[in-house]
Amino acid sequence: MPRTSEKPVTLSFDNGPHPEVTPLVLDVLARHDIRTTFFVVGQKLVENLDVARRARDEGHWIGNHTWSHSHPFREKGDAAFVASEIDRTQSAIGALAHDDKLFRPYGGAGRRDGALNSVAAEHLRKHRFTCVMWNSVPGDFRDAVGWPDTARRQISEIDWPLVVLHDIHGDAMTRLDRFVSTLKDEGYSFRQELPASTIVIQRGQPTEALGGVLAN
Ligand SMILES: [Zn+2]
């Protein structure tokens, strides 16, 4: 049957890998034949490398989401901290990395402004990373029951949503399957590609959107 209102949507999963929750998420995505990006936290990755390998082997992209996920760069952004947060994680990702060296900063509850500072932006530029932000944060980390409704509201208002979910909260992720099914029924098409509007550095090249996320 032709889709009358097909709209793209891209999912991403941050803050894992988690030994139990990430496999459940992967099962759901496989069932629906959907590929996404997992932005992993370095110190969790080294404990759960097999889970990340499974994600990569099933066609998902693995991105870097800092080593410690402890301080947004607006709060702590000296060169040593920046290098440690980014490079240590990229080393741990190793051969699982996407060719574009995907990196997503820690914003703090979805906050974009100041997620990068000039030191971090320069580091990402120099080492030819692609810095991926987001445009939908439905808050699965604080609302395990209501996040799908919040997400659907947000998604309906964005041309190409890039949704941030977290593969570390089991209660919230039990609702992923129904969420995905509902969107499919509503005519959404799931894409792995990342919307250009969410990319602030592309393979080392800053984009127009970079200014909106920079803190001094
Ligand atoms: Zn995060």
Side-chain angles (χ1 to χ4, degrees), residues 14-15 65 69 106:
D14 289 10
N15 298 13
H65 190 40
H69 204 266
Y106 167 48

Side-chain angles (χ1 to χ4, degrees), residues 126-140:
K126 188 170 154 197
H127 297 281
R128 305 183 65 79
F129 278 88
T130 295
C131 184
V132 183
M133 303 302 289
W134 53 83
N135 56 26
S136 168
V137 181
D140 57 328

